[in-house]
Each structure stands twice: as C-alpha cells, then as structure tokens.
Amino acid sequence: MTFAIVELDAQLASREANHRFLNTLTALHGLLRNDFRGFADPAVRDAVNVFSSRIQAFASVHRTLGEDSGQDRVDAAAHLAKLCEELCVAHLAPRGVWCEFRSDAADLPHAVCQKLSLIIVELVTNAAKHAFGGRSGGRVSVSLRRAGDGWICQVADNGSGLRGGGGGDGMKLVRRLAQALGSALIVHSDAGGVIVTLRLADRDV
C-alpha cells in the first residue's frame, strides 16, 4: 500500500512538472514571436521562424510523453511512432539526421510504455547532440519487436560511438529507468555507432 501511494505521488509530480514545462515553452514561444515581430530583416524573420518551429516541436514531444488515455494498457507501436516522429522534427532533422521506427503490434501497460518513452527520448536526444559531431547527416533507428517470451526495444545510431565509455548522465538515467522496468540493458559502442538494447520479459509487461 505504501508503494502504491509513493508511485501515485511520483506520477502526479511528473504530470505537474510536465504541465509546467509546457506552459514555459508556450510562454517562450509567445515572447519570441512578440519580441522579434518588428524586425524587417528577412534573415532575422527566417531565424525566428526556425526557432519557433523548434519550440513547438519540443512542446509536441512533451505533450506526447504526458498523454494519459486513462487506460491501463497502451498501443505502444502507435504511441512510440508518434513520439519518434516528433523527436525527429525537434532534434534530428535540424541536424540533417533521419529517423526510422519499426514495431510489432504491441499492447503494453501504460507505466511500461511511459518508461520506454523516456528511455527513447533520452537516447535519441543524446544521439542528436553527440553522435554526429563534425558530420552532416546520419541515421537513428528505433525498434520494438517480439522476441520469444518477451520484447526487445532497441535504439541505434551510425555515429561516432560513446566517448569515455559511459555516455555520461544521459546513460545513467537510461540505466535507472531500465532498472525500474526490471529489464536487462546492453550497450554496444564502436566507431560505427551505438546500439542500446533493452530486454523486457513477459512477466514485466
């Protein structure tokens, strides 16, 4: 009973934080449009439009993360496809990187799908920031597939690999989320890129 209460409190806090962040993005978008609307220089107006689109894309990602259908289980394939599309717009496309998503039909518990979403957001964001430095173009792929008695979720890029071997705070967060799912996490990194594999057993979903 105590665990259930703590879990509920954590979910409420997460929703409130997400709501506040969305409000901040909305306010930032309004300030940007208002403060630069008087500039006649086409270059400035184009830059404002680009940043405006990025802010809206970030908002879409967090709106999708915060979605709550009220159902115990979620169409994970549809949810993650939408999330990856928004991540591409917000993080990858501006860097010339493209994203592909593939999934088997997947009906997963809402809590599992949310944690998977957070893991994917973190891994894709890290790839966008660090994997393609000094390069134009690249690829990030996300997949969720049935594997025997469980599921495998995989995020891979064809970038330059992890520096320092650990991946920093981003990978620490991913490992904590994987631990919360009771899942095995395998990270493979070399000069050809990074592959992060998450294995979920049926008993966990």
Side-chain angles (χ1 to χ4, degrees), residues 22-83:
L22 284 172
N23 286 343
T24 299
L25 287 177
T26 300
L28 180 61
H29 181 259
L31 287 170
L32 179 69
R33 304 296 297 187
N34 183 69
D35 290 351
F36 286 88
R37 64 183 177 182
F39 283 79
D41 187 334
V44 173
R45 298 178 74 88
D46 287 346
V48 170
N49 287 334
V50 168
F51 279 106
S52 175
S53 297
R54 294 291 298 280
I55 291 171
Q56 289 175 310
F58 288 135
S60 294
V61 170
H62 283 271
R63 197 171 290 114
T64 296
L65 281 176
E67 283 179 351
D68 188 352
S69 64
Q71 304 296 318
D72 291 336
R73 301 185 74 84
V74 177
D75 181 348
H79 173 82
L80 295 178
K82 180 181 178 184
L83 181 65

Side-chain angles (χ1 to χ4, degrees), residues 53-135:
S53 297
R54 294 291 298 280
I55 291 171
Q56 289 175 310
F58 288 135
S60 294
V61 170
H62 283 271
R63 197 171 290 114
T64 296
L65 281 176
E67 283 179 351
D68 188 352
S69 64
Q71 304 296 318
D72 291 336
R73 301 185 74 84
V74 177
D75 181 348
H79 173 82
L80 295 178
K82 180 181 178 184
L83 181 65
C84 287
E85 181 179 354
E86 291 166 346
L87 284 169
C88 183
V89 172
H91 293 289
L92 299 177
R95 293 173 168 85
V97 179
W98 61 281
C99 180
E100 61 181 15
F101 174 76
R102 292 171 293 177
S103 177
D104 294 335
D107 177 48
L108 300 180
H110 185 271
V112 170
C113 192
Q114 275 203 325
K115 290 182 177 68
L116 276 179
S117 296
L118 290 170
I119 288 172
I120 290 170
V121 167
E122 191 63 38
L123 292 173
V124 172
T125 301
N126 282 349
K129 289 181 178 179
H130 306 297
F132 306 102
R135 289 176 46 184

Side-chain angles (χ1 to χ4, degrees), residues 149-190:
D149 61 349
W151 293 88
I152 291 179
C153 179
Q154 193 170 79
V155 179
D157 67 65
N158 64 344
S160 56
L162 294 174
R163 293 177 176 82
D169 292 337
M171 283 306 302
K172 290 178 183 177
L173 174 59
V174 168
R175 292 184 190 282
R176 287 199 297 269
L177 287 166
Q179 186 177 24
L181 283 170
S183 305
L185 186 73
I186 301 171
V187 180
H188 174 80
S189 174
D190 58 29

